[in-house]
Amino acid sequence: MGLKFSDALRLSWSNIAEHKKRSVAIIVTISILFGAIMGFNFMLEGLRETILSAALQTNDGKVYLETGYQNISSINEGDFTELADLEAAQKIVRDTVAKYHGEIIGEMTSYHQLGNTRWVINQEVADAVGKLDVKLDELELDQIPFLAPEFEGEYFQGYLWSNGKKDEHLVRVGAYPSTEAGSPTLPGFNPLNLLLGMVYGSSNVAGPLIIDDGSGKVTEYIDSMAQVKVEAGHYENVAQLFEAWPPEMRYIAVFDNYDDAVAYYYDAYSNDSNSPKFVQIDGKKYSILNMDIFGRVIYIRLDFDNLQFMLTAIEVLFIVIAILIATFTFAHLIDQDAATVALYRSLGASTGSIYLIYFLYLVELCLLAVLSCIVIAFVFSGAMWLFNARALAERLKEYYILKDLPKVNLFGFNRMFFWTIGSIMIVAPISLLFTMRHFSTKHIAKKLKED
């Protein structure tokens, strides 16, 4: 029998009509499995846009990074690039920041050798990110100004102590952008928390940033703290302390474009980086360090990439489950269709023609599953937006410490939408491949004899 494509299509469609219950079972199973994935992916893409927009509001759309080389003298592994001096390393950082359209606005120096860490920023950084409540020129000579994070974590107050008592010199003059610690999850059991729980905020250990206005009093303050360490008997003088344990200076770079900031951040850790990962200067070893410093904006890309990877891994698992279900159901259907397959053969249908009929049957089931899957995903994401948009906006306002409610979107497309459709369609050829032996003359004859 010379089977036309239109005839094969008609016969395959008649299988769906004849085996309604089994066809619906396959469609519903695939739709539920992949509809959930597609719905979460819609929400994931919408949340990515929503959370990034809210996070960028904290810094007026700018991204700030702490960047530079940190001493890792205790580490011996790595391919180290020999440099003449630390200035050479710092020039590499400055040039790379400029390459990615960033600008270095100042410096931050960390003093970890004082008994309680002190972070010092210069006036330019404070002017760029600080919200000052007190003018610096109104302070007494012995008062040291600092910016506190807008959300003060559980360890913050501990940084204000020195030598067993609260440091009376430190005076809070304003705040710098930060988020709450933890994740912006919603109260109670909420499916959105499966995604929101993978988004993280500022660290609980965010500390005070001392502002050096250039008057020299911050230098005197740091030296006085160092002198206490010297008098404890560990070092002969302050110079020896700082020589043995040098302060760490890193730049504060600002990027007007989020993608430029992300590209710069990842460039530092790529194999073909513009900045060497490891450098060696006069026997001391350093590694490149990039950190999101104000508001934890840069890591949002990493958070959502991790979520996307998890969804992809779950989808692979669902593909396997869908193929197994479709294969077993389809094999049973072929056994039930043994008389029909025998009739096709008696009319002269080739094995290829029979394969085509049942392959089209599977393709039609998968296409119906795709349509059903899209409907489920739209309904799911739409319902989640309807019931959670207001609560999520209020939570993000609180979490990112915003003045106004951010716009909430729980729907977005990306490549995974098409990947999900492709995943559903691949069920058809694989299921047919696994059930081909059921079309053999011997197997059909056996089923007819059993009947």
Side-chain angles (χ1 to χ4, degrees), residues 65-70 79 81 89 92-97 99-100 250 253 255 259-279 286-292 298-299:
L65 288 178
E66 177 186 350
T67 182
Y69 284 94
Q70 63 174 343
D79 184 14
T81 300
I92 292 175
V93 174
R94 293 195 299 269
D95 291 345
T96 309
V97 168
K99 176 185 174 183
Y100 287 95
R250 286 187 281 273
F255 296 83
D259 290 332
D260 286 339
V262 171
Y264 173 77
Y265 177 85
Y266 283 109
D267 172 83
Y269 305 108
S270 66
N271 292 329
D272 55 348
S273 171
N274 291 274
S275 304
K277 291 183 185 179
F278 303 101
V279 299
Y286 301 81
S287 69
I288 191 70
L289 173 71
N290 282 337
M291 292 182 63
D292 196 335
I298 203 75
Y299 297 125

Side-chain angles (χ1 to χ4, degrees), residues 66 108-110 112 116-121 129 145-161 170 172 174-179 202-211 291-294:
E66 177 186 350
M108 182 170 76
T109 304
S110 304
H112 300 291
N116 202 353
T117 302
R118 291 292 180 260
W119 294 273
V120 178
I121 58 174
V129 302
F146 73 86
L147 297 176
E150 289 189 321
F151 177 82
E152 296 180 9
E154 58 182 306
Y155 300 105
F156 177 78
Q157 291 298 321
Y159 289 119
L160 304 183
W161 286 62
L170 293 178
R172 185 187 189 278
Y176 64 86
S178 70
T179 75
S202 299
S203 170
N204 245 329
V205 298
L209 300 181
I210 292 172
I211 303 172
M291 292 182 63
D292 196 335
I293 185 169
F294 302 122

